[in-house]
Structures are given as structure tokens and as C-alpha cells.
Amino acid sequence: MFARLACAAVAGTAPLAGPAGPKARWSAAAAAAVLTAGDVPAEEGRTRGEVILGEGSHRYRVMEGWGHLPPGYSYRDATSVCVDSKDNVYVFNRGAHPVIVFDRHGTFLRSWGEDVGFVNAHGAAVGPDDMLYLTDDFGAAVRKFTPQGKVVLTIGTPGTPAPRFSGRPFNRCTHTALSPQGDIYVSDGYQNARVHKYAPDGRLLFSWGEPGTGPGQFNLVHNIACDDAGWVYVADRENHRVQVFDGQGRYQAEWHNMLRPCGLFVTRGRSPVAVIGELGPETVATLTHEVPNLGPRVSLMSAQGEVLARLGTQPIGEAPGRFIAPHGVAVDSHGDIYVAEVSNTYWPMLFGRKPQHELRSLQKLAKLD
């Protein structure tokens, strides 16, 4: 069954750490240079002043400034994004308006979630019925919402995390995915190396995973997705891989050739494509400053684990065609990609200081024919 999935090896790096040592001493001038550098490589060129990313049949136009926020609105950080069957875009964020909704052209439609009590927005997914599943990692809960923001199901006990690495749900859960049958998978994540499977009514069915680097083990299970055949894809971030399981949690395969996969989306249909947001190295302030081809970036991979395209080969930065911290990704019915970035949280971890302005944390990449 899974002969179609390929496995490969890649060297690892250290887990994410806060600012310390040389990072904290990195000069403000160097950091500013990273922010403003705008050179674009040949395969990511400009057409009529527009930045194009990707290669072959996987080419995308960077839609600069997409998403028009009302006056006074701010994402602070857009942690995740999801798209419903009407191509409405839901941005789960850490600002004062936790869910901000746009149409596919970037016109603001509404916002909600201000009275829910989110502690730390983290993951967002849409079910086949357009219901939203929002994951609050510090809040230790997954909530199911109508598109208008009404809570219809809560999984977990909000504000009451399970003991660290106990295996019980949840301790800093990260994301949610829906099977074709409506079962709910939750990745549980920063301090609990587990995946939990729930029935559509919220009953816990079973869990799997433990800390480690072997098959079926996790080192920060950060994101999760399902395809139409029911396979379960898990972004095992600090093991630098995506693992693939069947619906019973049985290990099938793993993909490498990525650096700290953070965001994950799997397209529908018989030939799914995985869209993966990679954080890249945490040494960008020192050892890998201005080094290309390491991320942060967005990668497209086939169901066989083959790299189809890399979107973004240049180092970290705000210039069009560059990324800072891809954390959540989604794809609409036109093939356009939405990338949510935790730029303002991640920047001081890398460079030892807060940015002097609010960094961009949401991008749209429009698919080219």
C-alpha cells in the first residue's frame, strides 16, 4: 500500500531555543540588513514588478499586502490559517480579534472570538462541513466553531493541562485534522509527544506516540493533516521529518529533506500534495547568516515524499519572496497558498531583541497557470 511513499535521511539540528550567547550580541545593523534585503534569485524572479516563487508547474505570485485589516486591527502574530468551501480565509491570531475572516480577494468580512478566552492561538483547521477547529496550546483545548464563531464542542479542559509528557491529553496541543469520516486527530505537541484520535462527538478513541527519534516516535509533534484516503500526516518538527500513519496510528513511512517542518497542509483528491512550512535553521543570526536554500521556506512534496518545488530559497527577511517563520499553511480551491507566520514571536528568539515594528505575519501566494 505504501510503496508510493519514499524515505530518506537528513542531519538534525538543535531544538528551538531562546536568545542567548552570540545571538543576543548580533548587531542591530546586521538584523536590519536581513529585514531589508530584497534580492531575488533567478528561479524566483520578477514579472512586471511581481515576485514569482517556485519552478515548473508549481509557480506562485507573491500577493504583496494581501488582506485589508480594518483600522486598529493587528494580528500581533498570525499563527494559523484555514479556508472553507467558499474560499473564505480564517486567520487565527494572537491579537485582540482572534479570528479574522477575509474573502479570497482579501476583503475583510468579519472577526470573532474575542470573548472565548483563548490563551495562545496555535492551530486552525476546517472540516468538510465548514466547521472550524481551533487549537489553543497554552489553553489545553480544541474548540469546534460554526463559521460565525459559535462554540459547539470543546475537547479538553480549558486551562487545565495534563502532566508534562504524561501521554494524556493535552499538554500544549498544537493542531487538529479531520478524517474523511469526521474523526478528529489532535497533535499534542510541545510537552506531550502524542497524537490523539477522537470520534466526531469528542470521545477519545486512542492515542499513540512517545518521545524519541524512531518510527512512530516524536520530537515536538507540531502539525497534523489527513488526505481523502484517510492517511494521517504528522509534522515531527525537531526530528526534521513528516511521518505518515494509517487511521489506526500504525507507522507507514517518513519523509526527510526538510528543516524543522512547522506548517502542514495536504490537498484533496487522488494525488495529494503536501504543502510544508519550514522554519529553517535557528542559527540565522550567526552561523547561517545570509546562507540560501536552508529556509525559512514553503516546500511542496508529492505523496511519494518527492520534492516538487521550494518556494523561497533566500534567507530570512521581509522582502517579497522571503519568509521569517512559516507556522501554518492552507490552500484554497484555486490552488493559492496562504502562509501564517509567527514572525514577531520568533524574531527575538533568533536575534535576541524585539523588532522595531510589527513584522508581516500573513502572506498569500497565488498559483500561476
Side-chain angles (χ1 to χ4, degrees):
M1 176 68 74
F2 252 82
R4 66 191 183 103
L5 292 165
C7 301
V10 67
T13 61
L16 182 65
K23 295 179 187 175
R25 296 192 297 270
W26 203 67
S27 71
V34 172
L35 280 174
T36 57
D39 52 304
V40 181
E43 69 273 18
E44 298 173 3
R46 288 182 177 270
T47 302
R48 299 186 302 276
E50 299 172 330
V51 176
I52 308 300
L53 302 181
E55 55 201 278
S57 61
H58 302 283
R59 300 173 68 245
Y60 297 82
R61 177 184 298 111
V62 178
M63 306 296 289
E64 295 184 52
W66 183 91
H68 307 293
L69 288 172
Y73 275 56
S74 167
Y75 298 123
R76 196 159 66 87
D77 262 333
T79 66
S80 48
V81 59
C82 56
V83 183
D84 69 14
S85 63
K86 302 178 181 65
D87 281 337
N88 294 320
V89 181
Y90 298 78
V91 184
F92 196 27
N93 69 90
R94 293 174 180 165
H97 307 280
V99 180
I100 297 175
V101 190
F102 300 98
D103 66 17
R104 69 177 304 266
H105 303 292
T107 301
F108 173 83
L109 299 179
R110 60 187 177 276
S111 65
W112 49 262
E114 294 85 354
D115 58 350
V116 171
F118 293 115
V119 181
N120 198 53
H122 199 277
V126 171
D129 56 357
D130 279 349
M131 303 294 274
L132 277 74
Y133 296 78
L134 302 183
T135 307
D136 182 353
D137 67 339
F138 282 120
V142 174
R143 295 176 178 89
K144 178 180 178 181
F145 293 86
T146 67
Q148 290 71 39
K150 179 182 178 182
V151 179
V152 296
L153 176 67
T154 299
I155 302 176
T157 305
T160 307
R164 183 173 179 265
F165 289 103
S166 65
R168 303 202 305 269
F170 300 117
N171 193 310
R172 297 199 63 189
C173 46
T174 53
H175 202 79
T176 309
L178 283 300
S179 78
Q181 295 75 33
D183 292 324
I184 304 164
Y185 295 92
V186 181
S187 52
D188 184 23
Y190 283 97
Q191 298 190 92
N192 217 1
R194 299 284 273 180
V195 172
H196 310 286
K197 181 176 182 177
Y198 292 85
D201 62 4
R203 289 179 295 111
L204 179 63
L205 299 176
F206 60 88
S207 305
W208 78 88
E210 62 181 5
T213 60
Q217 297 178 327
F218 301 116
N219 183 9
L220 211 172
V221 50
H222 193 272
N223 213 308
I224 192 165
C226 290
D227 67 13
D228 284 350
W231 301 109
V232 183
Y233 303 78
V234 178
D236 187 10
R237 194 178 91 179
E238 299 305 327
N239 280 331
H240 308 283
R241 63 185 178 182
V242 169
Q243 295 195 65
V244 186
F245 301 88
D246 67 15
Q248 298 303 310
R250 293 183 291 246
Y251 171 87
Q252 303 295 316
E254 60 189 73
W255 308 338
H256 294 275
N257 296 320
M258 61 191 76
L259 190 52
R260 303 172 71 219
C262 209
L264 177 63
F265 183 91
V266 177
T267 61
R268 317 321 311 170
R270 297 180 62 183
S271 300
V273 171
V275 182
I276 303 167
E278 301 177 51
L279 279 182
E282 63 167 335
T283 55
V284 298
T286 53
L287 301 177
T288 56
H289 169 52
E290 284 298 293
V291 176
N293 300 316
L294 295 177
R297 65 190 177 192
V298 174
S299 294
L300 277 62
M301 301 186 76
S302 73
Q304 292 76 33
E306 302 164 328
V307 176
L308 302 174
R310 304 285 197 196
L311 311 183
T313 63
Q314 289 297 287
I316 190 170
E318 276 196 297
R322 296 195 181 198
F323 299 95
I324 295 175
H327 191 266
V329 292
V331 180
D332 69 15
S333 66
H334 298 260
D336 298 346
I337 299 173
Y338 302 85
V339 184
E341 302 187 69
V342 289
S343 305
N344 297 283
T345 297
Y346 197 54
W347 188 264
M349 293 181 180
L350 296 174
F351 300 115
R353 64 175 184 85
K354 293 183 178 181
Q356 297 178 350
H357 62 282
E358 184 171 310
L359 302 174
R360 179 191 61 217
S361 61
L362 182 69
Q363 297 196 64
K364 177 174 179 173
L365 311 177
K367 183 79 164 60
L368 297 177
D369 295 331

